[in-house]
Amino acid sequence: MASSRPCPLCDTCVVSRTWIVIPLFNEAPVIGSVIKDLLPEFPHIVCVDDGSTDTSAQAARSAGAVVVQHPVNLGQGAALQTGFEYVLQDPEMSCVVTFDADGQHRVSDAAAMVARIRGGEADVVLGSRFLDSRTRLGPVKRLVLRTAAVQSRWSTGMPLTDAHNGLRAFNGHVVSNIHLTQNRMAHASELVQILAALKPRWTEHPVEIIYTEYSKSKGQSLLNSVNILADLLFR
């Protein structure tokens, strides 16, 4: 992997800070606006460009994020692990948030999740689109996600309502103990298994997933449903 610039550690940095980790693959039309929305609340952002064939890396860098690049596409799990390894180099890192690149997450939800960790309520806060009614889901997507949550509960004992939500917040100690080996969609189930073994203090937080015209045009909702089903059936 190659970094676009070194980690911005210096004497003027705050004592503790939150890093946003964004897996990035061919999201050039939207990644700049995603980063610009995040920066006022979260000035420390690393995008892991997972072998994009468009100008995603340049757009993310121009918007103000650190960019780490995979020379080839390895998968979202691999991108997250690279991001975790990058932010662990920062001795002042106190919290890490995983955030999607396609504009489906709300910055306000991420900020509220981090506040719960900083307030000492939990070590891990996992986003759930089923704890309130803001997220609009089709019947197939809802069924798949509910099934995934039940399967996760059976296999790990963690009573999650939304096992495949990409908006998550962890304290630094938890991040240092996450070692993902599943590069692609199965990483979501692997992450829950890791958390079940670590037994941190965890909670879920209501979040809204915004299925935009952009994400719908890419077929993202249907594709994710297919990937989740494949994970459940074949892993």
Side-chain angles (χ1 to χ4, degrees):
M1 65 183 180
S3 173
S4 63
R5 59 186 173 92
C7 183
L9 301 181
C10 63
D11 293 337
T12 61
C13 290
V14 295
V15 173
S16 64
R17 51 183 157 261
T18 295
W19 276 91
I20 302 290
V21 173
I22 303 179
L24 179 60
F25 179 69
N26 288 347
E27 302 285 3
V30 296
I31 188 59
S33 61
V34 169
I35 291 168
K36 288 177 181 177
D37 286 345
L38 281 163
L39 281 173
E41 183 74 36
F42 300 106
H44 303 281
I45 303 170
V46 57
C47 291
V48 181
D49 180 55
D50 190 33
S52 293
T53 56
D54 64 2
T55 59
S56 290
Q58 296 95 311
R61 189 179 299 114
S62 296
V66 175
V67 177
V68 177
Q69 292 180 269
H70 290 167
V72 297
N73 179 252
L74 297 176
Q76 191 177 75
L80 284 174
Q81 186 59 41
T82 294
F84 293 157
E85 291 170 3
Y86 182 86
V87 300
L88 283 168
Q89 297 176 64
D90 179 358
E92 309 297 346
M93 180 271 291
S94 60
C95 189
V96 176
V97 175
T98 63
F99 202 92
D100 285 355
D102 57 7
Q104 293 190 354
H105 291 159
R106 285 193 178 277
V107 177
S108 57
D109 288 336
M113 292 164 71
V114 170
R116 297 181 75 173
I117 291 179
R118 287 181 170 169
E121 180 182 350
D123 305 312
V124 176
V125 180
L126 304 172
S128 173
R129 71 202 95 184
F130 294 112
L131 295 181
D132 63 22
S133 59
R134 287 180 294 164
T135 301
R136 298 180 180 275
L137 289 168
V140 174
K141 180 78 170 178
R142 182 177 295 273
L143 176 62
V144 169
L145 290 170
R146 289 294 198 186
T147 302
V150 171
Q151 191 276 341
S152 179
R153 182 179 303 187
W154 286 347
S155 63
T156 68
M158 292 180 66
L160 297 175
T161 63
D162 193 352
H164 283 259
N165 196 309
L167 185 54
R168 318 171 184 95
F170 312 93
N171 70 17
H173 175 72
V174 171
V175 172
S176 69
N177 285 281
I178 294 175
H179 306 287
L180 295 173
T181 61
Q182 296 292 331
N183 286 349
R184 298 194 179 273
M185 202 62 188
H187 81 272
S189 296
E190 183 185 23
L191 180 55
V192 175
Q193 291 170 348
I194 290 171
L195 294 177
L198 289 174
K199 294 181 171 55
R201 294 173 304 143
W202 69 274
T203 188
E204 289 187 299
H205 185 86
V207 303
E208 180 180 11
I209 304 301
I210 307 166
Y211 296 109
T212 63
E213 291 304 316
Y214 169 78
S215 65
K216 290 177 183 177
S217 71
K218 296 178 68 178
Q220 192 65 25
S221 180
L222 179 59
L223 177 61
N224 280 346
S225 296
V226 172
N227 286 337
I228 290 168
L229 279 176
D231 179 23
L232 293 173
L233 293 172
F234 301 114
R235 70 182 180 87

